[in-house]
Amino acid sequence: MGFGVRLGAEGVIPVSDPPHASAGPDAAIDESRLEELIIEAQTALPFELPGLANRCAAALGLDSALIYLVDLQQQLLISLDEALEPLPVDCSSAGWAYRTVSPRVVESDGGVVVWMPLVDGAERLGVLALRTTALDGVRMRRSRMLAHLFAMLITSKRTYSDWLAARTRTTTMRLPAEMLRAFLPPHTVGSRRCVSTAVLEPAYKIAGDAFDHSVVKNILHTMILDSMGHDLAAGLATSVVMAAARTSRRGGGDLTDIVNCVDQSLARWRPDHFCTGVLCRLDAETGVLHWVNCGHPPPLLIRAEQVVHGVLDSPPQPPFGLAGPFAPGAREVHETTLRRGDQVLLYTDGVVEARDANGVEFGLDRFTDFIIRSSAAGQRPAEVLRLLIDAILDRQRNQLRDDATILLFEWRPQVH
């Protein structure tokens, strides 16, 4: 099992295409043993997953397995075997598999190791390392099978496991961040027609920023928020907004209903706070987009590798939560129709206002240009935002003066 550390070292040799030998006698699977392991997986505690992965690998004719999960900031891949060191996302074979969501095969100690991405829907969880003395088509399929199985297991168990949450952290979480993170959805959600992905920094010190996205049948709902202040009270206000939006959405409310519920809830429960935000509703079948902007920077539309200015601008509306004489009237919902491949970008002001040591802002042009160039280079949306937030952190030497949140969604209907 020690191969997990050595694989991160320089000098491993990538194998571009595994040999495809015919299935020999060892291609047979002991189905009863596999059934036992799958039943065991249902009740296995999260810290027992490394041992279970090894037993499953052996049942499939592979030598051993290691599970690595990505850390909260998507910079390290951390083994569930606590004796092993993390691997860097940016310069390792494991990281390559994570970044590209593709298998990576490397030679190691007279055998090969297959790095399989662990993915839940559109969400990247980490990688699975499978060691085998020889690789053929059968073992490659079984490696994929095992990666799918453990992605589902990890997803189901991390909802209640403090151990899994702790393994993916590299420092202590502050209370406002802990509270808000309990509300946050996965970084990435999506379907065959659309995908939405988001990042939020500083990961362990967030206070008032948040994002939300959800797929309801063929409808993608997205939201970005920026609450007044940078303390626990700001986090409480944001939490009320997120809970109110979800209550209305899950009760079948349309965009107007959701915004009204948010306004009323925040004015009632946090009357001394307000929150800016943008809520969007995308019909993933038709491309029709509705949005409401409540005192927030306007969304940006990226089409054919260019920002299409003004398309998602709208007359200013007050922030959420204003009561009494300042209460807004009827909220205005705006509509447009996207084209295939269009991207919509939501962000908080902490992104464009991030300054370097000389006081120069990151700026809107640099922000959009980074996304356009990375997307044009073939990067997936989740990887584009991972690279972008790293660039923003580097610019401020990991000391953000304000929360920085970015949400990017893309409409990509299938061509028949």
PDB file of all heavy atoms in Angstrom, residues 104-124:
ATOM      1  N   ARG A 104      -5.663   7.963 -15.647  1.00  0.00           N
ATOM      2  CA  ARG A 104      -4.231   8.144 -15.893  1.00  0.00           C
ATOM      3  C   ARG A 104      -3.535   6.851 -15.489  1.00  0.00           C
ATOM      4  O   ARG A 104      -3.713   6.365 -14.370  1.00  0.00           O
ATOM      5  CB  ARG A 104      -3.713   9.296 -15.044  1.00  0.00           C
ATOM      6  CG  ARG A 104      -2.224   9.568 -15.177  1.00  0.00           C
ATOM      7  CD  ARG A 104      -1.915  10.330 -16.445  1.00  0.00           C
ATOM      8  NE  ARG A 104      -0.588  10.931 -16.427  1.00  0.00           N
ATOM      9  CZ  ARG A 104      -0.120  11.740 -17.355  1.00  0.00           C
ATOM     10  NH1 ARG A 104      -0.878  12.070 -18.378  1.00  0.00           N
ATOM     11  NH2 ARG A 104       1.092  12.237 -17.274  1.00  0.00           N
ATOM     12  N   VAL A 105      -2.741   6.291 -16.390  1.00  0.00           N
ATOM     13  CA  VAL A 105      -2.046   5.028 -16.137  1.00  0.00           C
ATOM     14  C   VAL A 105      -0.555   5.293 -16.069  1.00  0.00           C
ATOM     15  O   VAL A 105       0.007   5.918 -16.968  1.00  0.00           O
ATOM     16  CB  VAL A 105      -2.354   3.986 -17.232  1.00  0.00           C
ATOM     17  CG1 VAL A 105      -1.667   2.663 -16.920  1.00  0.00           C
ATOM     18  CG2 VAL A 105      -3.858   3.789 -17.376  1.00  0.00           C
ATOM     19  N   VAL A 106       0.093   4.846 -14.991  1.00  0.00           N
ATOM     20  CA  VAL A 106       1.533   5.045 -14.850  1.00  0.00           C
ATOM     21  C   VAL A 106       2.195   3.729 -14.452  1.00  0.00           C
ATOM     22  O   VAL A 106       1.606   2.882 -13.782  1.00  0.00           O
ATOM     23  CB  VAL A 106       1.861   6.129 -13.786  1.00  0.00           C
ATOM     24  CG1 VAL A 106       1.298   7.468 -14.181  1.00  0.00           C
ATOM     25  CG2 VAL A 106       1.347   5.735 -12.413  1.00  0.00           C
ATOM     26  N   GLU A 107       3.437   3.550 -14.914  1.00  0.00           N
ATOM     27  CA  GLU A 107       4.219   2.386 -14.513  1.00  0.00           C
ATOM     28  C   GLU A 107       4.753   2.596 -13.102  1.00  0.00           C
ATOM     29  O   GLU A 107       5.128   3.706 -12.719  1.00  0.00           O
ATOM     30  CB  GLU A 107       5.380   2.180 -15.485  1.00  0.00           C
ATOM     31  CG  GLU A 107       4.931   1.846 -16.902  1.00  0.00           C
ATOM     32  CD  GLU A 107       6.113   1.676 -17.843  1.00  0.00           C
ATOM     33  OE1 GLU A 107       7.252   1.963 -17.413  1.00  0.00           O
ATOM     34  OE2 GLU A 107       5.901   1.265 -18.986  1.00  0.00           O
ATOM     35  N   SER A 108       4.805   1.513 -12.336  1.00  0.00           N
ATOM     36  CA  SER A 108       5.291   1.628 -10.965  1.00  0.00           C
ATOM     37  C   SER A 108       5.698   0.257 -10.433  1.00  0.00           C
ATOM     38  O   SER A 108       4.869  -0.651 -10.355  1.00  0.00           O
ATOM     39  CB  SER A 108       4.209   2.229 -10.066  1.00  0.00           C
ATOM     40  OG  SER A 108       4.627   2.275  -8.731  1.00  0.00           O
ATOM     41  N   ASP A 109       6.989   0.096 -10.096  1.00  0.00           N
ATOM     42  CA  ASP A 109       7.487  -1.102  -9.415  1.00  0.00           C
ATOM     43  C   ASP A 109       7.069  -2.410 -10.099  1.00  0.00           C
ATOM     44  O   ASP A 109       6.527  -3.313  -9.465  1.00  0.00           O
ATOM     45  CB  ASP A 109       7.007  -1.112  -7.961  1.00  0.00           C
ATOM     46  CG  ASP A 109       7.561   0.054  -7.170  1.00  0.00           C
ATOM     47  OD1 ASP A 109       8.588   0.639  -7.595  1.00  0.00           O
ATOM     48  OD2 ASP A 109       6.966   0.402  -6.142  1.00  0.00           O
ATOM     49  N   GLY A 110       7.293  -2.499 -11.380  1.00  0.00           N
ATOM     50  CA  GLY A 110       6.999  -3.737 -12.091  1.00  0.00           C
ATOM     51  C   GLY A 110       5.541  -3.951 -12.412  1.00  0.00           C
ATOM     52  O   GLY A 110       5.171  -4.975 -13.005  1.00  0.00           O
ATOM     53  N   GLY A 111       4.704  -3.014 -12.092  1.00  0.00           N
ATOM     54  CA  GLY A 111       3.283  -3.100 -12.430  1.00  0.00           C
ATOM     55  C   GLY A 111       2.803  -1.757 -12.935  1.00  0.00           C
ATOM     56  O   GLY A 111       3.589  -0.935 -13.400  1.00  0.00           O
ATOM     57  N   VAL A 112       1.510  -1.547 -12.860  1.00  0.00           N
ATOM     58  CA  VAL A 112       0.950  -0.249 -13.240  1.00  0.00           C
ATOM     59  C   VAL A 112      -0.035   0.196 -12.173  1.00  0.00           C
ATOM     60  O   VAL A 112      -0.583  -0.612 -11.423  1.00  0.00           O
ATOM     61  CB  VAL A 112       0.241  -0.294 -14.618  1.00  0.00           C
ATOM     62  CG1 VAL A 112       1.218  -0.622 -15.724  1.00  0.00           C
ATOM     63  CG2 VAL A 112      -0.919  -1.271 -14.600  1.00  0.00           C
ATOM     64  N   VAL A 113      -0.229   1.498 -12.121  1.00  0.00           N
ATOM     65  CA  VAL A 113      -1.248   2.084 -11.258  1.00  0.00           C
ATOM     66  C   VAL A 113      -2.200   2.870 -12.139  1.00  0.00           C
ATOM     67  O   VAL A 113      -1.774   3.677 -12.973  1.00  0.00           O
ATOM     68  CB  VAL A 113      -0.632   2.994 -10.182  1.00  0.00           C
ATOM     69  CG1 VAL A 113      -1.718   3.692  -9.381  1.00  0.00           C
ATOM     70  CG2 VAL A 113       0.263   2.184  -9.263  1.00  0.00           C
ATOM     71  N   VAL A 114      -3.477   2.619 -11.973  1.00  0.00           N
ATOM     72  CA  VAL A 114      -4.512   3.344 -12.704  1.00  0.00           C
ATOM     73  C   VAL A 114      -5.118   4.374 -11.752  1.00  0.00           C
ATOM     74  O   VAL A 114      -5.664   4.009 -10.705  1.00  0.00           O
ATOM     75  CB  VAL A 114      -5.609   2.393 -13.214  1.00  0.00           C
ATOM     76  CG1 VAL A 114      -6.613   3.169 -14.069  1.00  0.00           C
ATOM     77  CG2 VAL A 114      -5.013   1.238 -13.994  1.00  0.00           C
ATOM     78  N   TRP A 115      -4.997   5.634 -12.113  1.00  0.00           N
ATOM     79  CA  TRP A 115      -5.645   6.707 -11.349  1.00  0.00           C
ATOM     80  C   TRP A 115      -7.002   6.977 -11.980  1.00  0.00           C
ATOM     81  O   TRP A 115      -7.085   7.453 -13.107  1.00  0.00           O
ATOM     82  CB  TRP A 115      -4.798   7.973 -11.364  1.00  0.00           C
ATOM     83  CG  TRP A 115      -3.508   7.870 -10.620  1.00  0.00           C
ATOM     84  CD1 TRP A 115      -2.266   7.655 -11.127  1.00  0.00           C
ATOM     85  CD2 TRP A 115      -3.346   7.964  -9.202  1.00  0.00           C
ATOM     86  NE1 TRP A 115      -1.335   7.621 -10.127  1.00  0.00           N
ATOM     87  CE2 TRP A 115      -1.969   7.811  -8.921  1.00  0.00           C
ATOM     88  CE3 TRP A 115      -4.223   8.183  -8.128  1.00  0.00           C
ATOM     89  CZ2 TRP A 115      -1.460   7.863  -7.622  1.00  0.00           C
ATOM     90  CZ3 TRP A 115      -3.717   8.231  -6.840  1.00  0.00           C
ATOM     91  CH2 TRP A 115      -2.353   8.074  -6.600  1.00  0.00           C
ATOM     92  N   MET A 116      -8.068   6.670 -11.246  1.00  0.00           N
ATOM     93  CA  MET A 116      -9.427   6.856 -11.738  1.00  0.00           C
ATOM     94  C   MET A 116     -10.078   8.038 -11.032  1.00  0.00           C
ATOM     95  O   MET A 116     -10.058   8.106  -9.806  1.00  0.00           O
ATOM     96  CB  MET A 116     -10.267   5.596 -11.488  1.00  0.00           C
ATOM     97  CG  MET A 116     -10.057   4.488 -12.481  1.00  0.00           C
ATOM     98  SD  MET A 116     -10.801   4.945 -14.060  1.00  0.00           S
ATOM     99  CE  MET A 116     -10.330   3.501 -15.039  1.00  0.00           C
ATOM    100  N   PRO A 117     -10.665   8.971 -11.787  1.00  0.00           N
ATOM    101  CA  PRO A 117     -11.377  10.068 -11.117  1.00  0.00           C
ATOM    102  C   PRO A 117     -12.602   9.551 -10.376  1.00  0.00           C
ATOM    103  O   PRO A 117     -13.296   8.648 -10.856  1.00  0.00           O
ATOM    104  CB  PRO A 117     -11.783  10.983 -12.277  1.00  0.00           C
ATOM    105  CG  PRO A 117     -11.771  10.113 -13.490  1.00  0.00           C
ATOM    106  CD  PRO A 117     -10.732   9.068 -13.262  1.00  0.00           C
ATOM    107  N   LEU A 118     -12.845  10.093  -9.205  1.00  0.00           N
ATOM    108  CA  LEU A 118     -14.058   9.817  -8.441  1.00  0.00           C
ATOM    109  C   LEU A 118     -15.017  10.977  -8.674  1.00  0.00           C
ATOM    110  O   LEU A 118     -14.733  12.115  -8.289  1.00  0.00           O
ATOM    111  CB  LEU A 118     -13.744   9.687  -6.949  1.00  0.00           C
ATOM    112  CG  LEU A 118     -12.906   8.477  -6.527  1.00  0.00           C
ATOM    113  CD1 LEU A 118     -12.486   8.597  -5.070  1.00  0.00           C
ATOM    114  CD2 LEU A 118     -13.684   7.179  -6.743  1.00  0.00           C
ATOM    115  N   VAL A 119     -16.139  10.702  -9.306  1.00  0.00           N
ATOM    116  CA  VAL A 119     -17.064  11.751  -9.715  1.00  0.00           C
ATOM    117  C   VAL A 119     -18.481  11.371  -9.309  1.00  0.00           C
ATOM    118  O   VAL A 119     -18.921  10.239  -9.541  1.00  0.00           O
ATOM    119  CB  VAL A 119     -17.015  11.979 -11.245  1.00  0.00           C
ATOM    120  CG1 VAL A 119     -17.944  13.118 -11.651  1.00  0.00           C
ATOM    121  CG2 VAL A 119     -15.592  12.279 -11.698  1.00  0.00           C
ATOM    122  N   ASP A 120     -19.187  12.297  -8.695  1.00  0.00           N
ATOM    123  CA  ASP A 120     -20.598  12.118  -8.377  1.00  0.00           C
ATOM    124  C   ASP A 120     -21.398  13.057  -9.275  1.00  0.00           C
ATOM    125  O   ASP A 120     -21.478  14.251  -9.012  1.00  0.00           O
ATOM    126  CB  ASP A 120     -20.865  12.435  -6.905  1.00  0.00           C
ATOM    127  CG  ASP A 120     -22.354  12.413  -6.582  1.00  0.00           C
ATOM    128  OD1 ASP A 120     -23.049  11.503  -7.059  1.00  0.00           O
ATOM    129  OD2 ASP A 120     -22.826  13.318  -5.866  1.00  0.00           O
ATOM    130  N   GLY A 121     -21.980  12.518 -10.335  1.00  0.00           N
ATOM    131  CA  GLY A 121     -22.665  13.373 -11.298  1.00  0.00           C
ATOM    132  C   GLY A 121     -21.670  14.273 -11.990  1.00  0.00           C
ATOM    133  O   GLY A 121     -20.852  13.828 -12.791  1.00  0.00           O
ATOM    134  N   ALA A 122     -21.715  15.574 -11.671  1.00  0.00           N
ATOM    135  CA  ALA A 122     -20.753  16.530 -12.224  1.00  0.00           C
ATOM    136  C   ALA A 122     -19.724  16.970 -11.193  1.00  0.00           C
ATOM    137  O   ALA A 122     -18.824  17.744 -11.510  1.00  0.00           O
ATOM    138  CB  ALA A 122     -21.498  17.754 -12.769  1.00  0.00           C
ATOM    139  N   GLU A 123     -19.835  16.474  -9.968  1.00  0.00           N
ATOM    140  CA  GLU A 123     -18.970  16.912  -8.872  1.00  0.00           C
ATOM    141  C   GLU A 123     -17.729  16.031  -8.758  1.00  0.00           C
ATOM    142  O   GLU A 123     -17.829  14.801  -8.604  1.00  0.00           O
ATOM    143  CB  GLU A 123     -19.749  16.876  -7.556  1.00  0.00           C
ATOM    144  CG  GLU A 123     -18.947  17.129  -6.308  1.00  0.00           C
ATOM    145  CD  GLU A 123     -18.630  18.592  -6.057  1.00  0.00           C
ATOM    146  OE1 GLU A 123     -18.739  19.389  -6.994  1.00  0.00           O
ATOM    147  OE2 GLU A 123     -18.292  18.929  -4.918  1.00  0.00           O
ATOM    148  N   ARG A 124     -16.550  16.645  -8.809  1.00  0.00           N
ATOM    149  CA  ARG A 124     -15.296  15.917  -8.654  1.00  0.00           C
ATOM    150  C   ARG A 124     -15.007  15.724  -7.164  1.00  0.00           C
ATOM    151  O   ARG A 124     -14.897  16.697  -6.412  1.00  0.00           O
ATOM    152  CB  ARG A 124     -14.147  16.679  -9.311  1.00  0.00           C
ATOM    153  CG  ARG A 124     -14.346  16.939 -10.796  1.00  0.00           C
ATOM    154  CD  ARG A 124     -13.176  17.695 -11.404  1.00  0.00           C
ATOM    155  NE  ARG A 124     -13.018  19.034 -10.839  1.00  0.00           N
ATOM    156  CZ  ARG A 124     -12.067  19.885 -11.197  1.00  0.00           C
ATOM    157  NH1 ARG A 124     -11.182  19.536 -12.126  1.00  0.00           N
ATOM    158  NH2 ARG A 124     -11.977  21.082 -10.646  1.00  0.00           N
TER     159      ARG A 124
END
